[in-house]
Amino acid sequence: MTSVTLFNQIQVDQIRPQDLLPHRPPMLLIDRVIEYLPGVSVQAETFIKPDTMFFQGHFPGEPILPGVVLVEMMFQACGIFGRLEALNVVDVSSIQKDYRPRSGRAIKIDNMTFNKPVLPNDTVRIRAVFDHRMLNFSVFKARVDIEGRGLAAKGIVTVLINA
């Protein structure tokens, strides 16, 4: 299986989260985009490094990634989707070198449930499925799955995305 996946002419292995989000380490929580379906959804992936700063105090001797970090991953995936939609990207090379993403805002979290803990060395997949727009806000059904272990968290998130 090739690492290049095409969806409506888009090579997702060339989409770099840092080109679309204003976040930078340590708050850039998305490693790579693995699927983008224009008008429908985005799926991203992140490897949870054992030395991530969140494990230092949550909890010593029993590190668990805080749930709020999983929610932030969901918001960042929504930001990637929204910016790709706003830029009307058909070809990743069309993302201009001088494009500077503006920050968006997390607006609302609904029905969030946390099912399994995310641990060091886990790989997680974040999926955000566009549900609807309400004024300038976009509503997504989002989830985080742990590779090989199942659902970590899911809920509905509302964002304001500044393209």
Side-chain angles (χ1 to χ4, degrees), residues 22 35 58 61-62 73 83 99 102-103 107-108 116 126 134 144:
E35 177 183 89
H58 198 267
E62 188 183 347
M73 288 176 183
R83 289 192 177 88
Y99 172 71
R102 295 182 298 164
S103 60
I107 300 298
K108 187 176 178 185
K116 290 184 178 154
I126 307 98
M134 183 174 46
V144 176

Side-chain angles (χ1 to χ4, degrees), residues 5 10 15-16 20 22 33 49 52 56 64 75 98:
T5 308
I10 297 170
I15 298 173
R16 297 176 354 135
L20 298 169
V33 176
K49 298 175 189 80
T52 186
Q56 293 175 17
I64 297 172
F75 281 129
D98 60 349

